[in-house]
Amino acid sequence: MATNRTGTAQRPNGATQGKICQFKLVLLGESAVGKSSLVLRFVKGQFHEYQESTIGAAFLTQTICLDDTTVKFEIWDTAGQERYHSLAPMYYRGAQAAIVVYDITNQDTFGRAKTWVKELQRQASPTIVIALAGNKQDLANKRMVEYEEAQTYADENGLLFMETSAKTAMNVNDIFLAIAKKLPKNEQTTGQGGSAQGRRLAEGDAGAKTAGNCCK
Amino acid sequence: MAKSVYSKVDEYGFERSENFNYDVHDKFMSQYIRVLTRRSQRWNSIKGNIFSKPNVLKRFIRKGVPSDLRTSVWMRVSGGEEIRTNSSSTYNNLREKIDNQYIIDIIQIDLPRTFPENIFFSAHEYLPKMLFNVLATFAHQNKDVGYCQGLNYIAGLLLLATKDEEASFWLLKALVEKILPQYYIVTMTGLLIDLDVLDELVHKYEPVVHRHIQNVGMPWAMGTTKWFICLYSEVLPAETVFRIWDCLFNEGSKIIFRVAITLIRLHKDKILQTSELGELIGCFRDMRNHESVINCHQFMQEVFRLSGNLSNSTLSKLRAKYNQERTK
């Protein structure tokens, strides 16, 4: 937590100097499609066959390096059950990125994913980067959603798209990396201190939404 | 209970986390065993009908119901027993009506996802089966609630405490339909109102913490949804949760708020040291291993040290106020 988030920072290994950017990312999607499992794989490199159902939401962070930039994701992993929907806006409000997850073996979850995408397009920040993840690719023999169908939908809506498997780790780091690449990293936020910046992002006020929240 | 002291699994079958504090726990257990023995002797030496003496009953329950008496005491004080007696259908009749495939499917998805780290759920089939029966029977007889995620943890802990499927069903019914506001209905209105109530109560009891949380920008739902929805299961150690539930069943939902305020008080310094949302959320998430909550006996004493105006009637007024604001 002591990392300096503003200005140029010295990496702990002392190798290179670079920017540190912090982004708020939210995971949305129907219950049991693998949202928490994708996060657990990305953050801890682990997979649990039976991941506890998420109540409310869970918060985790993970940092990845992209060329000379360190990207820190603040990840909000939300509950999938429909009735928790009323709590969702506080998690996607001010988010710079979203991963909308469905289960490739379940057509209904793809429909629900489309609903989430629509809601994000209407309600979230206009600059939000949305990725669509067709999870449980390891169960491709039980596939109910065709790859092409999802790809076409993603293209039409300007979404990043990958089929992923939290179980085998396929495309998990890749989808976060693709999001990191697509996020704007060169705009300057107003001269706030590190903690103030984190706060701004979390509150999702208008400034943070559009500013790209990064630092030279 | 003594056998669990050096075990990787606690007395209710939960695997201990990597950062489980064995020293703190050992120290606590060596005292708590004496407390449990004493409480057990006291309960067994009660003369006459304790249920006809509400003040004695309340004092006894606040000090902890012995585990072998929990099922009967909970059934009695929660109203579960009364609901069972007055019900036109037996539990078995209700259970036979499980036929809605949608409900069956969503509950089945959550069965292996309920306490996978608990040996009674992961190593045996009978407890998940009982959990399914309780949840599906409940969902079929209460169409407004149906199945809401979170109920799986409550029913799971009820089963671990009572080892009795039927009692768990009536206790769940008493909780959801009688003791708690409408947390679990499709709109989750009761939850949203209680989050507003919590905001006001924290402002009243801990204004400095309230201001800090506001400044950092954490909506209460982010830090405390589980407190309400899971009634502290998945938040605090099982024994602490059962001690809370002893009082919740007897005294009603004000206990949830008393516990919430106490948790915030005990973690006040840590909360105030945070400067950004992630840290603050972490503080709320990681209360489980704190010495003050592992020592459930002392924790419950703290809960009741809270000055007396957090009554059920105060709570009703606050709920009515925020309900009105929501419907404006």
Side-chain angles (χ1 to χ4, degrees), chain B residues 218-231:
Chain B
M218 185 189 82
W220 288 106
M222 279 186 183
T224 65
T225 292
K226 261 191 179 176
W227 295 8
F228 295 96
I229 293 297
C230 301
L231 305 173

mmCIF file of all heavy atoms in Angstrom, chain B residues 218-231:
data_model
loop_
_atom_site.group_PDB
_atom_site.id
_atom_site.type_symbol
_atom_site.label_atom_id
_atom_site.label_comp_id
_atom_site.label_asym_id
_atom_site.label_seq_id
_atom_site.Cartn_x
_atom_site.Cartn_y
_atom_site.Cartn_z
ATOM 1 N N MET B 218 -16.809 4.839 1.130
ATOM 2 C CA MET B 218 -17.304 3.458 1.104
ATOM 3 C C MET B 218 -18.797 3.424 1.421
ATOM 4 O O MET B 218 -19.205 3.726 2.521
ATOM 5 C CB MET B 218 -16.571 2.591 2.132
ATOM 6 C CG MET B 218 -16.984 1.123 2.053
ATOM 7 S SD MET B 218 -16.347 0.082 3.389
ATOM 8 C CE MET B 218 -17.530 0.425 4.684
ATOM 9 N N PRO B 219 -19.630 3.036 0.428
ATOM 10 C CA PRO B 219 -21.039 2.811 0.756
ATOM 11 C C PRO B 219 -21.121 1.627 1.728
ATOM 12 O O PRO B 219 -20.338 0.677 1.622
ATOM 13 C CB PRO B 219 -21.662 2.439 -0.593
ATOM 14 C CG PRO B 219 -20.662 2.807 -1.631
ATOM 15 C CD PRO B 219 -19.332 2.739 -0.980
ATOM 16 N N TRP B 220 -22.051 1.697 2.666
ATOM 17 C CA TRP B 220 -22.142 0.616 3.666
ATOM 18 C C TRP B 220 -22.368 -0.742 3.032
ATOM 19 O O TRP B 220 -21.923 -1.760 3.551
ATOM 20 C CB TRP B 220 -23.255 0.943 4.677
ATOM 21 C CG TRP B 220 -22.854 2.047 5.576
ATOM 22 C CD1 TRP B 220 -23.289 3.336 5.549
ATOM 23 C CD2 TRP B 220 -21.859 1.992 6.620
ATOM 24 N NE1 TRP B 220 -22.639 4.074 6.511
ATOM 25 C CE2 TRP B 220 -21.763 3.273 7.179
ATOM 26 C CE3 TRP B 220 -21.046 0.975 7.130
ATOM 27 C CZ2 TRP B 220 -20.891 3.581 8.218
ATOM 28 C CZ3 TRP B 220 -20.176 1.269 8.162
ATOM 29 C CH2 TRP B 220 -20.102 2.553 8.703
ATOM 30 N N ALA B 221 -23.079 -0.754 1.920
ATOM 31 C CA ALA B 221 -23.346 -2.036 1.263
ATOM 32 C C ALA B 221 -22.052 -2.769 0.910
ATOM 33 O O ALA B 221 -21.992 -3.994 0.930
ATOM 34 C CB ALA B 221 -24.174 -1.813 0.005
ATOM 35 N N MET B 222 -21.011 -2.013 0.583
ATOM 36 C CA MET B 222 -19.742 -2.645 0.189
ATOM 37 C C MET B 222 -19.113 -3.392 1.352
ATOM 38 O O MET B 222 -18.569 -4.469 1.193
ATOM 39 C CB MET B 222 -18.764 -1.590 -0.295
ATOM 40 C CG MET B 222 -18.992 -1.168 -1.722
ATOM 41 S SD MET B 222 -17.673 -0.045 -2.241
ATOM 42 C CE MET B 222 -18.248 0.362 -3.889
ATOM 43 N N GLY B 223 -19.167 -2.789 2.533
ATOM 44 C CA GLY B 223 -18.477 -3.402 3.669
ATOM 45 C C GLY B 223 -19.340 -4.343 4.483
ATOM 46 O O GLY B 223 -18.822 -5.234 5.157
ATOM 47 N N THR B 224 -20.673 -4.162 4.414
ATOM 48 C CA THR B 224 -21.488 -4.856 5.416
ATOM 49 C C THR B 224 -22.677 -5.661 4.888
ATOM 50 O O THR B 224 -23.449 -6.178 5.692
ATOM 51 C CB THR B 224 -22.030 -3.833 6.460
ATOM 52 O OG1 THR B 224 -22.918 -2.928 5.802
ATOM 53 C CG2 THR B 224 -20.919 -3.032 7.098
ATOM 54 N N THR B 225 -22.822 -5.785 3.562
ATOM 55 C CA THR B 225 -23.953 -6.570 3.040
ATOM 56 C C THR B 225 -24.012 -7.965 3.670
ATOM 57 O O THR B 225 -25.061 -8.439 4.095
ATOM 58 C CB THR B 225 -23.865 -6.682 1.504
ATOM 59 O OG1 THR B 225 -24.085 -5.386 0.945
ATOM 60 C CG2 THR B 225 -24.919 -7.623 0.949
ATOM 61 N N LYS B 226 -22.846 -8.598 3.762
ATOM 62 C CA LYS B 226 -22.799 -9.950 4.338
ATOM 63 C C LYS B 226 -23.227 -9.986 5.803
ATOM 64 O O LYS B 226 -23.738 -10.995 6.272
ATOM 65 C CB LYS B 226 -21.367 -10.481 4.262
ATOM 66 C CG LYS B 226 -21.099 -11.395 3.117
ATOM 67 C CD LYS B 226 -19.751 -12.055 3.328
ATOM 68 C CE LYS B 226 -19.439 -13.000 2.227
ATOM 69 N NZ LYS B 226 -18.081 -13.561 2.386
ATOM 70 N N TRP B 227 -22.972 -8.913 6.519
ATOM 71 C CA TRP B 227 -23.351 -8.892 7.935
ATOM 72 C C TRP B 227 -24.842 -9.141 8.066
ATOM 73 O O TRP B 227 -25.294 -9.868 8.938
ATOM 74 C CB TRP B 227 -23.005 -7.538 8.581
ATOM 75 C CG TRP B 227 -21.540 -7.232 8.647
ATOM 76 C CD1 TRP B 227 -20.523 -7.934 8.067
ATOM 77 C CD2 TRP B 227 -20.920 -6.130 9.353
ATOM 78 N NE1 TRP B 227 -19.316 -7.336 8.357
ATOM 79 C CE2 TRP B 227 -19.534 -6.240 9.135
ATOM 80 C CE3 TRP B 227 -21.413 -5.095 10.113
ATOM 81 C CZ2 TRP B 227 -18.630 -5.318 9.674
ATOM 82 C CZ3 TRP B 227 -20.516 -4.181 10.653
ATOM 83 C CH2 TRP B 227 -19.128 -4.303 10.441
ATOM 84 N N PHE B 228 -25.615 -8.492 7.197
ATOM 85 C CA PHE B 228 -27.064 -8.616 7.254
ATOM 86 C C PHE B 228 -27.537 -9.902 6.575
ATOM 87 O O PHE B 228 -28.318 -10.648 7.136
ATOM 88 C CB PHE B 228 -27.727 -7.408 6.578
ATOM 89 C CG PHE B 228 -27.464 -6.111 7.300
ATOM 90 C CD1 PHE B 228 -26.443 -5.266 6.900
ATOM 91 C CD2 PHE B 228 -28.230 -5.752 8.397
ATOM 92 C CE1 PHE B 228 -26.194 -4.070 7.571
ATOM 93 C CE2 PHE B 228 -27.990 -4.566 9.077
ATOM 94 C CZ PHE B 228 -26.966 -3.717 8.666
ATOM 95 N N ILE B 229 -27.066 -10.118 5.355
ATOM 96 C CA ILE B 229 -27.579 -11.230 4.557
ATOM 97 C C ILE B 229 -27.179 -12.583 5.134
ATOM 98 O O ILE B 229 -27.946 -13.539 5.113
ATOM 99 C CB ILE B 229 -27.065 -11.107 3.096
ATOM 100 C CG1 ILE B 229 -27.693 -9.878 2.423
ATOM 101 C CG2 ILE B 229 -27.355 -12.355 2.292
ATOM 102 C CD1 ILE B 229 -29.190 -9.945 2.292
ATOM 103 N N CYS B 230 -25.968 -12.692 5.639
ATOM 104 C CA CYS B 230 -25.508 -13.976 6.173
ATOM 105 C C CYS B 230 -25.539 -14.010 7.695
ATOM 106 O O CYS B 230 -25.123 -15.001 8.298
ATOM 107 C CB CYS B 230 -24.094 -14.288 5.687
ATOM 108 S SG CYS B 230 -23.935 -14.369 3.910
ATOM 109 N N LEU B 231 -26.004 -12.941 8.319
ATOM 110 C CA LEU B 231 -26.076 -12.886 9.782
ATOM 111 C C LEU B 231 -24.738 -13.261 10.413
ATOM 112 O O LEU B 231 -24.690 -14.042 11.350
ATOM 113 C CB LEU B 231 -27.207 -13.783 10.291
ATOM 114 C CG LEU B 231 -28.584 -13.502 9.685
ATOM 115 C CD1 LEU B 231 -29.595 -14.546 10.132
ATOM 116 C CD2 LEU B 231 -29.070 -12.098 10.036
#
